Structure formats: structure tokens, C-alpha cells
Amino acid sequence: MKKEETPWSKGVLMICTKCHKAISSKSLHEEGNAADNLKVFLKKSFKETGDLSKIRVVTSSCLDVCVDEFQAVTFAPIEGETETYILHPEEDREKLLKLLRQKIKD
């Protein structure tokens, strides 16, 4: 086994793919899996600001935070405490983006 350097400098965001099943399709505007759509939105936003090298955004299997009508996400920083949030994957995406930008700023 060989240790490698982490290619992102501030942390990783994991987005549960299973939560999509617990969110009413009536409350979603985009087609496809809500977790995948949130991941694409966040990665595009971080790329536009040049912050994509600071944070890794990935989808995950169940994070064991199951609340109907909400998406579970977990931010695991390189340094500090891991934090888990529940949110609406479309309505709260800008709030999540703002929170993550604060967490990864230099």
C-alpha cells in the first residue's frame, strides 16, 4: 500500500443518491436523480470560480440520514469536524453553495 496526496485541498462533499427516492417528484423541476443534478450544479459552480481543486463533490450510497422530502449531504473537511445537512436539492442548492464556499475559502 502506498499513501497518496489528496488532490483536493479543503474537503469532500458526499451527496446521497438514495434520498432521491424519498423526494416527491412534484417538488423537483429537473429530470434525473436529484443527487446527480446537485453534484453537476456544484461542480460547475466551483469550476467557474476556480475552486474545484479545493473540494471534491461526489455522490454516495446511503448516508444513514433519511428524512422524507430532503437530500442528505455530508461535508468532510481535511481539517475539522465532519458535518451532515439535510436540504431540498433544488431549492436550497444556492444556500449549500454559499456555505461550502465559506468552508473552503483560504
Side-chain angles (χ1 to χ4, degrees), residues 51-98:
D51 292 324
L52 195 54
S53 64
K54 294 179 184 178
I55 186 169
R56 179 78 171 171
V57 180
V58 298
T59 52
S60 166
S61 59
C62 185
L63 295 172
D64 272 345
V65 182
C66 304
V67 180
D68 284 346
E69 298 300 324
F70 288 96
Q71 178 76 54
V73 300
T74 296
F75 178 68
I78 297 298
E79 297 177 6
E81 303 260 340
T82 297
E83 301 172 336
T84 299
Y85 301 92
I86 58 169
L87 54 108
H88 188 278
E90 293 176 356
E91 295 171 11
D92 296 329
R93 63 174 47 170
E94 291 290 340
K95 290 179 195 173
L96 177 62
L97 180 60
K98 182 178 179 181

Short mmCIF file of all heavy atoms in Angstrom, two decimals, residues 51-98:
data_model
loop_
_atom_site.label_atom_id
_atom_site.label_comp_id
_atom_site.label_asym_id
_atom_site.label_seq_id
_atom_site.Cartn_x
_atom_site.Cartn_y
_atom_site.Cartn_z
N ASP A 51 -12.52 27.11 -7.86
CA ASP A 51 -12.42 26.45 -6.56
C ASP A 51 -12.54 24.93 -6.62
O ASP A 51 -12.52 24.27 -5.58
CB ASP A 51 -13.50 26.99 -5.61
CG ASP A 51 -13.26 28.43 -5.22
OD1 ASP A 51 -12.09 28.80 -5.05
OD2 ASP A 51 -14.25 29.18 -5.07
N LEU A 52 -12.65 24.37 -7.82
CA LEU A 52 -12.87 22.93 -7.92
C LEU A 52 -11.71 22.11 -7.36
O LEU A 52 -11.91 21.00 -6.88
CB LEU A 52 -13.16 22.53 -9.37
CG LEU A 52 -13.77 21.15 -9.59
CD1 LEU A 52 -15.03 20.94 -8.76
CD2 LEU A 52 -14.07 20.92 -11.05
N SER A 53 -10.51 22.67 -7.34
CA SER A 53 -9.37 21.93 -6.79
C SER A 53 -9.39 21.93 -5.26
O SER A 53 -8.64 21.18 -4.63
CB SER A 53 -8.06 22.53 -7.28
OG SER A 53 -7.92 23.86 -6.78
N LYS A 54 -10.26 22.72 -4.66
CA LYS A 54 -10.34 22.78 -3.21
C LYS A 54 -11.31 21.76 -2.62
O LYS A 54 -11.18 21.37 -1.46
CB LYS A 54 -10.79 24.18 -2.76
CG LYS A 54 -9.79 25.26 -3.08
CD LYS A 54 -10.32 26.60 -2.61
CE LYS A 54 -9.38 27.72 -3.00
NZ LYS A 54 -9.93 29.02 -2.58
N ILE A 55 -12.30 21.35 -3.41
CA ILE A 55 -13.35 20.47 -2.88
C ILE A 55 -13.68 19.39 -3.90
O ILE A 55 -13.73 19.63 -5.10
CB ILE A 55 -14.61 21.29 -2.52
CG1 ILE A 55 -15.65 20.40 -1.84
CG2 ILE A 55 -15.17 22.01 -3.73
CD1 ILE A 55 -16.81 21.19 -1.22
N ARG A 56 -13.88 18.20 -3.40
CA ARG A 56 -14.30 17.09 -4.24
C ARG A 56 -15.79 16.88 -3.99
O ARG A 56 -16.22 16.79 -2.84
CB ARG A 56 -13.52 15.83 -3.86
CG ARG A 56 -13.87 14.62 -4.63
CD ARG A 56 -13.24 14.65 -5.98
NE ARG A 56 -13.45 13.35 -6.61
CZ ARG A 56 -13.18 13.11 -7.85
NH1 ARG A 56 -12.69 14.05 -8.61
NH2 ARG A 56 -13.38 11.93 -8.35
N VAL A 57 -16.58 16.85 -5.03
CA VAL A 57 -18.02 16.65 -4.92
C VAL A 57 -18.34 15.30 -5.54
O VAL A 57 -18.09 15.09 -6.73
CB VAL A 57 -18.80 17.79 -5.63
CG1 VAL A 57 -20.30 17.56 -5.49
CG2 VAL A 57 -18.40 19.15 -5.08
N VAL A 58 -18.89 14.40 -4.72
CA VAL A 58 -19.16 13.04 -5.18
C VAL A 58 -20.54 12.59 -4.73
O VAL A 58 -21.07 13.08 -3.74
CB VAL A 58 -18.10 12.04 -4.65
CG1 VAL A 58 -16.72 12.37 -5.16
CG2 VAL A 58 -18.12 11.97 -3.14
N THR A 59 -21.11 11.64 -5.45
CA THR A 59 -22.32 11.00 -4.98
C THR A 59 -21.92 9.79 -4.15
O THR A 59 -20.82 9.26 -4.28
CB THR A 59 -23.23 10.58 -6.15
OG1 THR A 59 -22.47 9.82 -7.07
CG2 THR A 59 -23.85 11.79 -6.83
N SER A 60 -22.83 9.40 -3.29
CA SER A 60 -22.55 8.34 -2.33
C SER A 60 -23.78 7.44 -2.20
O SER A 60 -24.89 7.84 -2.55
CB SER A 60 -22.24 9.00 -0.97
OG SER A 60 -22.28 8.07 0.07
N SER A 61 -23.57 6.27 -1.65
CA SER A 61 -24.73 5.47 -1.27
C SER A 61 -25.31 6.09 0.01
O SER A 61 -24.89 7.17 0.42
CB SER A 61 -24.30 4.02 -1.05
OG SER A 61 -23.32 3.96 -0.04
N CYS A 62 -26.21 5.42 0.65
CA CYS A 62 -26.94 5.97 1.80
C CYS A 62 -26.00 6.49 2.89
O CYS A 62 -25.03 5.83 3.28
CB CYS A 62 -27.85 4.90 2.39
SG CYS A 62 -28.90 5.53 3.71
N LEU A 63 -26.29 7.70 3.36
CA LEU A 63 -25.51 8.32 4.44
C LEU A 63 -26.15 8.09 5.81
O LEU A 63 -25.69 8.60 6.80
CB LEU A 63 -25.36 9.83 4.19
CG LEU A 63 -24.57 10.21 2.94
CD1 LEU A 63 -24.67 11.72 2.70
CD2 LEU A 63 -23.12 9.79 3.06
N ASP A 64 -27.22 7.30 5.85
CA ASP A 64 -27.95 6.98 7.09
C ASP A 64 -28.57 8.20 7.75
O ASP A 64 -28.70 8.25 8.97
CB ASP A 64 -27.06 6.24 8.09
CG ASP A 64 -27.09 4.74 7.90
OD1 ASP A 64 -28.00 4.26 7.20
OD2 ASP A 64 -26.21 4.05 8.44
N VAL A 65 -28.93 9.18 6.95
CA VAL A 65 -29.68 10.34 7.43
C VAL A 65 -30.90 10.44 6.51
O VAL A 65 -30.89 11.18 5.55
CB VAL A 65 -28.85 11.63 7.37
CG1 VAL A 65 -29.64 12.80 7.92
CG2 VAL A 65 -27.53 11.47 8.10
N CYS A 66 -31.90 9.68 6.82
CA CYS A 66 -33.05 9.56 5.94
C CYS A 66 -34.23 10.36 6.49
O CYS A 66 -34.80 9.99 7.51
CB CYS A 66 -33.44 8.10 5.79
SG CYS A 66 -32.09 7.06 5.18
N VAL A 67 -34.56 11.45 5.81
CA VAL A 67 -35.69 12.30 6.18
C VAL A 67 -36.49 12.53 4.91
O VAL A 67 -35.95 13.05 3.93
CB VAL A 67 -35.22 13.64 6.79
CG1 VAL A 67 -36.40 14.49 7.16
CG2 VAL A 67 -34.31 13.40 8.00
N ASP A 68 -37.77 12.15 4.93
CA ASP A 68 -38.60 12.32 3.74
C ASP A 68 -38.57 13.75 3.22
O ASP A 68 -38.60 14.70 4.01
CB ASP A 68 -40.05 11.93 4.03
CG ASP A 68 -40.25 10.42 4.10
OD1 ASP A 68 -39.33 9.69 3.66
OD2 ASP A 68 -41.30 9.98 4.59
N GLU A 69 -38.50 13.88 1.92
CA GLU A 69 -38.52 15.15 1.20
C GLU A 69 -37.22 15.94 1.31
O GLU A 69 -37.17 17.11 0.93
CB GLU A 69 -39.70 16.03 1.62
CG GLU A 69 -41.06 15.42 1.34
CD GLU A 69 -41.29 15.12 -0.14
OE1 GLU A 69 -40.85 15.88 -1.02
OE2 GLU A 69 -41.93 14.09 -0.42
N PHE A 70 -36.16 15.33 1.82
CA PHE A 70 -34.88 16.02 1.94
C PHE A 70 -33.74 15.20 1.35
O PHE A 70 -33.80 13.97 1.29
CB PHE A 70 -34.55 16.31 3.41
CG PHE A 70 -35.39 17.40 4.01
CD1 PHE A 70 -36.52 17.08 4.75
CD2 PHE A 70 -35.06 18.73 3.84
CE1 PHE A 70 -37.31 18.08 5.31
CE2 PHE A 70 -35.83 19.74 4.39
CZ PHE A 70 -36.96 19.41 5.13
N GLN A 71 -32.71 15.91 0.94
CA GLN A 71 -31.48 15.34 0.41
C GLN A 71 -30.43 15.41 1.52
O GLN A 71 -30.24 16.47 2.12
CB GLN A 71 -31.01 16.18 -0.78
CG GLN A 71 -29.71 15.73 -1.40
CD GLN A 71 -29.90 14.50 -2.24
OE1 GLN A 71 -30.74 14.48 -3.13
NE2 GLN A 71 -29.14 13.47 -1.97
N ALA A 72 -29.75 14.33 1.80
CA ALA A 72 -28.67 14.33 2.79
C ALA A 72 -27.33 14.56 2.08
O ALA A 72 -27.07 13.98 1.02
CB ALA A 72 -28.64 13.01 3.54
N VAL A 73 -26.53 15.44 2.68
CA VAL A 73 -25.17 15.68 2.19
C VAL A 73 -24.24 15.73 3.40
O VAL A 73 -24.64 16.16 4.48
CB VAL A 73 -25.05 17.00 1.38
CG1 VAL A 73 -25.96 16.98 0.17
CG2 VAL A 73 -25.34 18.21 2.23
N THR A 74 -23.01 15.29 3.19
CA THR A 74 -22.01 15.32 4.25
C THR A 74 -20.76 15.99 3.73
O THR A 74 -20.25 15.62 2.67
CB THR A 74 -21.68 13.90 4.75
OG1 THR A 74 -22.85 13.33 5.33
CG2 THR A 74 -20.57 13.91 5.78
N PHE A 75 -20.27 16.98 4.48
CA PHE A 75 -19.01 17.65 4.16
C PHE A 75 -17.96 17.17 5.14
O PHE A 75 -18.12 17.31 6.35
CB PHE A 75 -19.14 19.17 4.22
CG PHE A 75 -17.84 19.87 3.94
CD1 PHE A 75 -17.28 19.84 2.67
CD2 PHE A 75 -17.18 20.55 4.94
CE1 PHE A 75 -16.07 20.47 2.41
CE2 PHE A 75 -15.97 21.20 4.69
CZ PHE A 75 -15.43 21.16 3.42
N ALA A 76 -16.91 16.56 4.62
CA ALA A 76 -15.79 16.08 5.43
C ALA A 76 -14.57 16.92 5.08
O ALA A 76 -13.95 16.72 4.03
CB ALA A 76 -15.54 14.61 5.16
N PRO A 77 -14.23 17.89 5.94
CA PRO A 77 -13.07 18.73 5.66
C PRO A 77 -11.76 17.98 5.91
O PRO A 77 -11.73 17.01 6.67
CB PRO A 77 -13.24 19.89 6.64
CG PRO A 77 -13.98 19.31 7.79
CD PRO A 77 -14.88 18.25 7.19
N ILE A 78 -10.71 18.46 5.28
CA ILE A 78 -9.38 17.89 5.53
C ILE A 78 -9.02 18.08 7.00
O ILE A 78 -8.48 17.19 7.64
CB ILE A 78 -8.32 18.55 4.62
CG1 ILE A 78 -8.63 18.28 3.15
CG2 ILE A 78 -6.91 18.10 4.97
CD1 ILE A 78 -8.63 16.83 2.74
N GLU A 79 -9.36 19.25 7.54
CA GLU A 79 -9.14 19.54 8.95
C GLU A 79 -10.46 19.97 9.56
O GLU A 79 -11.16 20.82 9.01
CB GLU A 79 -8.12 20.66 9.11
CG GLU A 79 -6.75 20.31 8.58
CD GLU A 79 -5.77 21.47 8.69
OE1 GLU A 79 -6.12 22.51 9.28
OE2 GLU A 79 -4.66 21.33 8.18
N GLY A 80 -10.84 19.40 10.69
CA GLY A 80 -12.07 19.80 11.35
C GLY A 80 -13.09 18.69 11.40
O GLY A 80 -12.83 17.55 11.03
N GLU A 81 -14.28 19.06 11.84
CA GLU A 81 -15.37 18.12 12.06
C GLU A 81 -16.18 17.87 10.79
O GLU A 81 -16.46 18.79 10.04
CB GLU A 81 -16.31 18.68 13.13
CG GLU A 81 -15.65 18.99 14.45
CD GLU A 81 -15.88 17.91 15.48
OE1 GLU A 81 -16.82 17.13 15.32
OE2 GLU A 81 -15.10 17.87 16.44
N THR A 82 -16.57 16.63 10.59
CA THR A 82 -17.47 16.28 9.51
C THR A 82 -18.87 16.76 9.86
O THR A 82 -19.31 16.63 11.00
CB THR A 82 -17.46 14.75 9.30
OG1 THR A 82 -16.14 14.36 8.92
CG2 THR A 82 -18.45 14.32 8.23
N GLU A 83 -19.56 17.35 8.88
CA GLU A 83 -20.89 17.89 9.10
C GLU A 83 -21.87 17.32 8.09
O GLU A 83 -21.55 17.23 6.90
CB GLU A 83 -20.87 19.42 8.97
CG GLU A 83 -19.93 20.09 9.94
CD GLU A 83 -19.77 21.57 9.67
OE1 GLU A 83 -19.99 22.03 8.53
OE2 GLU A 83 -19.42 22.29 10.61
N THR A 84 -23.07 16.98 8.56
CA THR A 84 -24.11 16.45 7.69
C THR A 84 -25.30 17.40 7.72
O THR A 84 -25.67 17.90 8.78
CB THR A 84 -24.51 15.03 8.13
OG1 THR A 84 -23.36 14.19 8.03
CG2 THR A 84 -25.62 14.47 7.25
N TYR A 85 -25.88 17.62 6.55
CA TYR A 85 -27.02 18.53 6.41
C TYR A 85 -28.13 17.82 5.64
O TYR A 85 -27.86 16.92 4.84
CB TYR A 85 -26.62 19.78 5.62
CG TYR A 85 -25.50 20.56 6.24
CD1 TYR A 85 -24.18 20.31 5.89
CD2 TYR A 85 -25.76 21.54 7.18
CE1 TYR A 85 -23.14 21.03 6.47
CE2 TYR A 85 -24.73 22.27 7.76
CZ TYR A 85 -23.43 22.01 7.40
OH TYR A 85 -22.40 22.72 7.98
N ILE A 86 -29.36 18.26 5.86
CA ILE A 86 -30.47 17.85 5.00
C ILE A 86 -31.02 19.11 4.35
O ILE A 86 -31.06 20.17 4.97
CB ILE A 86 -31.56 17.08 5.77
CG1 ILE A 86 -32.15 17.90 6.91
CG2 ILE A 86 -31.03 15.74 6.27
CD1 ILE A 86 -33.39 17.29 7.52
N LEU A 87 -31.42 18.99 3.09
CA LEU A 87 -31.86 20.15 2.33
C LEU A 87 -32.69 19.70 1.15
O LEU A 87 -32.67 18.53 0.77
CB LEU A 87 -30.65 20.95 1.85
CG LEU A 87 -29.59 20.15 1.06
CD1 LEU A 87 -29.63 20.53 -0.39
CD2 LEU A 87 -28.24 20.40 1.65
N HIS A 88 -33.37 20.66 0.54
CA HIS A 88 -34.04 20.37 -0.72
C HIS A 88 -32.98 20.52 -1.81
O HIS A 88 -32.31 21.55 -1.87
CB HIS A 88 -35.23 21.30 -0.96
CG HIS A 88 -36.04 20.89 -2.14
ND1 HIS A 88 -35.67 21.22 -3.44
CD2 HIS A 88 -37.16 20.15 -2.23
CE1 HIS A 88 -36.55 20.71 -4.28
NE2 HIS A 88 -37.47 20.05 -3.56
N PRO A 89 -32.80 19.52 -2.67
CA PRO A 89 -31.70 19.54 -3.62
C PRO A 89 -31.76 20.62 -4.69
O PRO A 89 -30.75 20.91 -5.33
CB PRO A 89 -31.76 18.15 -4.26
CG PRO A 89 -33.18 17.72 -4.09
CD PRO A 89 -33.63 18.33 -2.80
N GLU A 90 -32.92 21.23 -4.90
CA GLU A 90 -33.02 22.31 -5.88
C GLU A 90 -33.23 23.66 -5.18
O GLU A 90 -32.53 24.63 -5.47
CB GLU A 90 -34.16 22.04 -6.86
CG GLU A 90 -33.88 20.84 -7.74
CD GLU A 90 -35.04 20.47 -8.66
OE1 GLU A 90 -36.12 21.10 -8.59
OE2 GLU A 90 -34.85 19.56 -9.46
N GLU A 91 -34.16 23.71 -4.25
CA GLU A 91 -34.48 24.98 -3.59
C GLU A 91 -33.35 25.50 -2.71
O GLU A 91 -33.19 26.71 -2.56
CB GLU A 91 -35.76 24.83 -2.76
CG GLU A 91 -37.00 24.56 -3.59
CD GLU A 91 -38.21 24.20 -2.76
OE1 GLU A 91 -38.16 24.35 -1.51
OE2 GLU A 91 -39.21 23.77 -3.35
N ASP A 92 -32.58 24.60 -2.12
CA ASP A 92 -31.52 25.00 -1.18
C ASP A 92 -30.11 24.93 -1.76
O ASP A 92 -29.14 25.12 -1.04
CB ASP A 92 -31.59 24.12 0.08
CG ASP A 92 -32.88 24.30 0.86
OD1 ASP A 92 -33.44 25.41 0.82
OD2 ASP A 92 -33.31 23.33 1.50
N ARG A 93 -29.99 24.70 -3.05
CA ARG A 93 -28.65 24.50 -3.62
C ARG A 93 -27.77 25.75 -3.52
O ARG A 93 -26.57 25.65 -3.31
CB ARG A 93 -28.72 23.98 -5.05
CG ARG A 93 -29.38 24.92 -6.02
CD ARG A 93 -29.35 24.50 -7.47
NE ARG A 93 -29.72 23.13 -7.68
CZ ARG A 93 -29.94 22.59 -8.86
NH1 ARG A 93 -29.86 23.31 -9.95
NH2 ARG A 93 -30.26 21.33 -8.98
N GLU A 94 -28.36 26.93 -3.67
CA GLU A 94 -27.57 28.17 -3.56
C GLU A 94 -27.09 28.38 -2.12
O GLU A 94 -25.97 28.83 -1.90
CB GLU A 94 -28.37 29.38 -4.04
CG GLU A 94 -28.64 29.40 -5.53
CD GLU A 94 -27.40 29.66 -6.38
OE1 GLU A 94 -26.39 30.19 -5.86
OE2 GLU A 94 -27.45 29.32 -7.58
N LYS A 95 -27.94 28.04 -1.15
CA LYS A 95 -27.53 28.13 0.26
C LYS A 95 -26.38 27.17 0.55
O LYS A 95 -25.43 27.52 1.25
CB LYS A 95 -28.70 27.80 1.19
CG LYS A 95 -29.79 28.82 1.21
CD LYS A 95 -30.91 28.36 2.15
CE LYS A 95 -32.17 29.16 1.92
NZ LYS A 95 -33.31 28.63 2.70
N LEU A 96 -26.47 25.96 0.01
CA LEU A 96 -25.40 24.98 0.19
C LEU A 96 -24.11 25.48 -0.45
O LEU A 96 -23.03 25.39 0.14
CB LEU A 96 -25.80 23.62 -0.38
CG LEU A 96 -24.74 22.53 -0.31
CD1 LEU A 96 -24.35 22.22 1.14
CD2 LEU A 96 -25.22 21.28 -1.03
N LEU A 97 -24.21 26.00 -1.65
CA LEU A 97 -23.05 26.52 -2.35
C LEU A 97 -22.38 27.63 -1.53
O LEU A 97 -21.16 27.64 -1.36
CB LEU A 97 -23.45 27.04 -3.73
CG LEU A 97 -22.34 27.61 -4.60
CD1 LEU A 97 -21.27 26.58 -4.88
CD2 LEU A 97 -22.92 28.15 -5.90
N LYS A 98 -23.17 28.54 -1.00
CA LYS A 98 -22.64 29.63 -0.19
C LYS A 98 -21.94 29.09 1.06
O LYS A 98 -20.84 29.53 1.41
CB LYS A 98 -23.77 30.59 0.20
CG LYS A 98 -23.31 31.78 0.99
CD LYS A 98 -24.46 32.71 1.30
CE LYS A 98 -23.99 33.91 2.12
NZ LYS A 98 -25.08 34.80 2.45
#
